Amino acid sequence: MKNRSGPATVTGDETCIKPLLSLEGEKAQMSKTNREPGDDSESRNFEERRCPALFSGRDKAMKKISFILTLFLAVSFLPRAVFADSGNTGISLEEVIVADEILPAEEDESPVQNKIIDQKQIQESSETTLGGILKEQAGTMVNDYGTEGCVKTISLRGAPSSQVLVLVDGRRFSDIQGTTDLSLIPLSAIESIEIQKGGLSSIYGASAMGGVVKIILKKSARKTFRFTFENSSYLPEGYTDTSGTPVAAESLALLDGQKAALDVSLKFPGIEVLTTGSFTSAENGFFYTDGSGTRRKRENAGCVEGSLHSSVYIPLADGFMNFQGSGFVGEVGAPGSLTLPSAAAKQNDLKADGSFEFNSDRFLADSLSLNVRGSYAYSENGYTDPDWAINSKHISHQANFSADQENLVADFLSLAYGAGLSYDYLTSTDLGEHDRFSTFVYLTAEWNILKDTVLKPSFRYDYSGEYPFVFNYSLGLTQGMGKNLYLKALAGRSYNVPNLNDLYWPNAFGMSGNPDLLPETAYTLDIGTEYDDGVFMLSAFGFTRYVQDTVLWLEQPVGFWSPHNCGEGLYAGADASVSVKLWDIFTVGADYTYTYSTILSGTYTSSDDKRMPYCPAHAVKARAGIRTEKDDALLSFVYQDSMFLDRDNNSIRDGFFNMDFSYIRKLSDHVSLSAVCKNLLNAEYMSVKGYPSPGLSIKLGAVVEF
């Protein structure tokens, strides 16, 4: 499900919220001991109020955290003896000119663990969705509700999607209701993706407690013309429909879905124009086994979506001007969970936005640069369910303006500073009318204290409607330790503000918002090392995150749910990625993420060893590929550990193992064909409890470009 609003019904041990508007699917259902309508993850399942005595049992957890960080600090220095190089290892300053964000930096220059995926890598991938690209990366978990067009959210290192900031061209993609749905961003319009992990509110503001996903839309194209087409299919099989009638296998399952995308880039003297569009139509009728062992077909899951993105890029003597416009329209069925299906519910989305950007590498002086950016976004969301007599509509407007400057004060010191403001307005059939004015100022310095050492202190002040005077800070370190080898560290404070659903949800259907909520706060520390010489790549980090004032929806009194500040938790773990390129054609790699999480809320302390809900302890990803001039084949594996779904650690979502295979054949410089097998082992699993994932699916595609 996507956005839901409506009455609650109790079935068995679950209290399922029948369409709860603008709460992600994982927020749309809850058990009597497991609250999920106000958040999608780890800390939303406590029921006790905040208590100072809860810290009395933390020693055990702190010892584990100290051990992990000490181990990683030692590991970080160890490679220096292996990869040491006597050559010049000076570190260049990171480019810091943007609107409400830092432009993509070189991966070895940033003090955080980060990954940049450029347009070439995106186009060479067999993935056709943003969620598909992100789930392949180390330390990420994409919460997938099953099919094309369904809600897809991202978690980083155990941080829920509400604590992971997604930026599209510097603009927050989530609306003021807190919704961040990756399925609404067409991959065909994306130029590059950058994933930064760690607490980064001192640079990006609210929501960046677990990390930031920065998406840059296309301003130009590699080719003048590019057309892609893909057909998705499931192997036909018989099933039993909802009325209990057996249905024979249907060959139309082989034509379940089609997706087409077109890029056209035209260059004129002094100007470049790019237009990209995509269209998707899919029934999403995959087969699965229900709790009784009966084969079923996923129904009311179809989607029809279209998008359009245009860019006008004007090069200037020392920079550029850029004007962009995007639109998205779609209708998707909302089948609901297996315990509370929706046979006829539909959701409609309409989005339109426009933006401009002025960038100058020389502004008044050689040492100064300037970036000015403004944008406006309109969003309309509708949800109807005739079975529940629900007809919700929600319209939002968002305007942003920001200016940033970098000042090269000296050869060893660079300052980046900026300010911005935004205005959000919402009119909703459920929440009524609300608006929020926000502004920020920030300062970041990059100080080369030694030839190979860069310190990066950052400070940011945010004023956000109900939450004025929020100050965040961080200190980053990048230490060159040899050719292509770096030690990195980041410590700081981050925060997140409650969304409008938390604050103003109307007193109806046994639920109500709480306008007295405080912001969530996190204190983070990351230490690690990175090495990349083009053949061998290693990235290994230890991290810890302590969260206060977690916003939790609690059943207080019994039968009435509302959000409260009452949760504390500790996270500590390791995030490692390694890959090796052999004989210029073979590549093997693996990623591993370990997260030790502890509930520190109410009566629970670290000695109780209660794990955070929705935070698997282990996640492993591996891949092996071969790439020649004509052929590209990749076999990938994903294992995700089981995870608890409630604060008492009684309800569990099973772990799963998945395998994918893709093959791309380049017929000529202009034409290539692809075949992708998803879930090669036809395993039955759920990324989100209650929402089955598709079994074996086959995608055949073609690309024509000039």
Side-chain angles (χ1 to χ4, degrees):
M1 289 188 292
K2 287 194 176 183
N3 300 332
R4 300 290 182 265
S5 71
T9 59
V10 180
T11 58
D13 65 341
E14 291 188 350
T15 300
C16 298
I17 300 303
K18 191 76 174 180
L20 178 60
L21 168 76
S22 290
L23 302 180
E24 299 157 335
E26 68 265 42
K27 302 177 187 178
Q29 58 178 67
M30 53 190 172
S31 69
K32 292 182 179 180
T33 59
N34 175 26
R35 167 268 148 204
E36 295 175 26
D39 193 85
D40 59 351
S41 179
E42 96 273 50
S43 54
R44 299 300 194 242
N45 301 295
F46 314 102
E47 291 181 359
E48 287 78 19
R49 286 172 289 186
R50 187 177 176 185
C51 175
L54 63 85
F55 301 106
S56 59
R58 191 182 302 159
D59 292 343
K60 180 180 177 182
M62 292 303 297
K63 289 179 180 179
K64 292 184 179 181
I65 293 170
S66 299
F67 172 76
I68 291 172
L69 292 178
T70 302
L71 176 63
F72 262 78
L73 187 59
V75 171
S76 297
F77 281 100
L78 180 61
R80 186 168 189 174
V82 180
F83 300 110
D85 187 279
S86 59
N88 189 332
T89 58
I91 302 173
S92 60
L93 293 178
E94 180 181 358
E95 187 176 7
V96 198
I97 309 171
V98 291
D100 203 14
E101 66 158 317
I102 302 280
L103 287 175
E106 293 299 326
E107 295 179 39
D108 57 358
E109 296 174 353
S110 173
V112 300
Q113 187 180 29
N114 69 326
K115 172 69 173 180
I116 298 174
I117 308 162
D118 60 25
Q119 184 181 162
K120 183 176 184 293
Q121 293 171 305
I122 293 173
Q123 292 185 351
E124 290 178 348
S125 170
S126 61
E127 294 291 344
T128 57
T129 65
L130 174 59
I133 292 287
L134 292 176
K135 76 177 182 179
E136 296 178 338
Q137 311 308 315
T140 65
M141 184 175 75
V142 173
N143 306 301
D144 193 336
Y145 288 76
T147 57
E148 189 81 41
C150 287
V151 168
K152 292 174 176 56
T153 64
I154 185 170
S155 301
L156 292 176
R157 293 174 170 174
S161 63
S162 62
Q163 297 176 7
V164 177
L165 178 61
V166 177
L167 295 172
V168 177
D169 276 349
R171 177 176 59 85
R172 293 172 177 270
F173 186 70
S174 62
D175 57 33
I176 54 176
Q177 291 176 271
T179 304
T180 304
D181 182 4
L182 302 176
S183 70
L184 300 179
I185 308 175
L187 187 64
S188 61
I190 295 176
E191 170 73 24
S192 66
I193 305 165
E194 182 176 8
I195 303 169
Q196 292 190 346
K197 303 171 189 174
L200 295 166
S201 289
S202 62
I203 301 175
Y204 302 105
S207 302
M209 295 172 65
V212 178
V213 177
K214 298 194 294 183
I215 297 168
I216 304 298
L217 299 181
K218 290 179 179 178
K219 298 178 178 65
S220 61
R222 297 170 58 206
K223 301 289 185 178
T224 301
F225 174 91
R226 178 182 171 89
F227 175 76
T228 63
F229 178 82
E230 179 185 81
N231 179 81
S232 301
S233 61
Y234 302 103
L235 298 181
E237 62 176 283
Y239 65 96
T240 302
D241 65 16
T242 54
S243 67
T245 303
V247 179
E250 301 170 338
S251 59
L252 286 177
L254 297 173
L255 300 173
D256 183 89
Q258 292 76 41
K259 175 180 289 188
L262 176 67
D263 288 9
V264 178
S265 179
L266 301 176
K267 294 184 179 180
F268 304 97
I271 189 172
E272 183 172 350
V273 179
L274 168 72
T275 298
T276 179
S278 66
F279 176 79
T280 301
S281 175
E283 183 184 2
N284 292 323
F286 65 89
F287 305 97
Y288 65 95
T289 303
D290 65 13
S292 66
T294 303
R295 292 296 285 173
R296 302 285 188 182
K297 179 181 178 180
R298 194 65 160 149
E299 298 180 349
N300 188 36
C303 74
V304 179
E305 298 175 341
S307 68
L308 183 67
H309 169 72
S310 294
S311 169
V312 177
Y313 182 82
I314 306 173
L316 303 176
D318 298 308
F320 64 86
M321 281 285 295
N322 181 236
F323 301 91
Q324 296 192 56
S326 299
F328 177 92
V329 60
E331 179 182 88
V332 60
S337 67
L338 297 184
T339 55
L340 193 61
S342 300
K346 302 291 182 184
Q347 177 168 309
N348 294 277
D349 291 287
L350 174 64
K351 295 181 178 293
D353 63 76
S355 65
F356 76 89
E357 180 181 6
F358 168 77
N359 183 287
S360 176
D361 295 332
R362 294 179 66 257
F363 183 75
L364 301 180
D366 290 342
S367 61
L368 296 176
S369 61
L370 178 68
N371 182 279
V372 179
R373 178 177 290 169
S375 66
Y376 166 78
Y378 172 87
S379 176
E380 182 177 313
N381 172 268
Y383 178 85
T384 59
D385 189 342
D387 294 339
W388 286 78
I390 296 175
N391 188 0
S392 298
K393 189 173 183 179
H394 322 277
I395 298 175
S396 66
H397 304 265
Q398 183 184 75
N400 299 274
F401 178 83
S402 60
D404 305 77
Q405 189 167 54
E406 184 179 18
N407 186 348
L408 187 60
V409 179
D411 291 341
F412 59 88
L413 179 63
S414 174
L415 299 178
Y417 42 85
L421 53 87
S422 64
Y423 177 75
D424 296 89
Y425 173 79
L426 171 73
T427 175
S428 165
T429 55
D430 294 292
L431 298 180
E433 294 188 15
H434 294 279
D435 63 354
R436 176 179 286 176
F437 174 79
S438 305
T439 186
F440 72 90
V441 294
Y442 79 91
L443 171 66
T444 297
E446 292 200 9
W447 180 21
N448 284 64
I449 57 176
L450 297 172
K451 181 183 67 173
D452 301 333
T453 306
V454 175
L455 284 180
K456 184 178 179 180
S458 298
F459 310 92
R460 175 162 167 151
Y461 166 81
D462 283 89
Y463 174 95
S464 180
E466 304 89 348
Y467 302 100
F469 312 118
V470 179
F471 179 71
N472 292 284
Y473 48 84
S474 68
L475 178 63
L477 167 71
T478 303
Q479 172 68 55
M481 302 176 66
K483 187 176 182 181
N484 305 315
L485 179 64
Y486 298 88
L487 169 70
K488 299 182 177 184
L490 179 72
R493 180 188 189 275
S494 295
Y495 86 114
N496 186 33
V497 297
N499 60 56
L500 291 190
N501 287 332
D502 294 330
L503 294 171
Y504 304 120
W505 189 260
N507 189 349
F509 307 118
M511 298 171 56
S512 177
N514 180 0
D516 298 322
L517 292 173
L518 299 174
E520 300 171 306
T521 304
Y523 297 92
T524 61
L525 174 63
D526 296 68
I527 301 176
T529 187
E530 290 186 340
Y531 177 83
D532 189 352
D533 62 6
V535 176
F536 177 78
M537 186 280 295
L538 171 67
S539 177
F541 277 72
F543 62 88
T544 183
R545 183 172 67 253
Y546 168 57
V547 183
Q548 292 178 309
D549 292 322
T550 303
V551 177
L552 314 174
W553 282 71
L554 307 179
E555 194 177 11
Q556 296 177 351
V558 176
F560 185 83
W561 293 82
S562 62
H564 300 267
N565 288 112
C566 51
E568 281 77 26
L570 281 171
Y571 300 79
D575 189 352
S577 180
V578 61
S579 67
V580 181
K581 190 173 183 180
L582 306 172
W583 304 296
D584 293 329
I585 60 172
F586 294 102
T587 302
V588 293
D591 310 316
Y592 173 68
T593 302
Y594 170 73
T595 305
Y596 170 80
S597 61
T598 305
I599 295 177
L600 299 172
S601 179
T603 60
Y604 287 136
T605 66
S606 61
S607 61
D608 296 302
D609 199 26
K610 293 294 184 180
R611 300 303 176 91
M612 287 289 188
Y614 289 92
C615 184
H618 304 277
V620 180
K621 302 175 184 180
R623 58 205 165 272
I626 179 172
R627 174 172 294 174
T628 66
E629 185 178 349
K630 296 291 185 180
D631 301 281
D632 187 350
L634 178 68
L635 183 65
S636 59
F637 310 82
V638 174
Y639 168 75
Q640 192 178 106
D641 197 10
S642 59
M643 61 185 183
F644 296 107
L645 303 178
D646 66 309
R647 69 175 187 88
D648 296 319
N649 291 182
N650 293 324
S651 179
I652 299 177
R653 189 223 65 186
D654 293 334
F656 62 85
F657 177 83
N658 203 353
M659 180 187 301
D660 296 338
F661 175 76
S662 66
Y663 174 72
I664 301 174
R665 173 66 176 179
K666 189 175 182 180
L667 300 181
S668 69
D669 291 338
H670 307 295
V671 180
S672 61
L673 303 177
S674 64
V676 180
C677 293
K678 293 288 187 180
N679 195 356
L680 194 61
L681 301 180
N682 201 28
E684 296 209 17
Y685 69 96
M686 297 181 187
S687 175
V688 178
K689 186 179 180 181
Y691 295 82
S693 294
L696 172 64
S697 63
I698 301 173
K699 300 184 178 184
L700 302 178
V703 176
V704 179
E705 58 185 358
F706 299 96

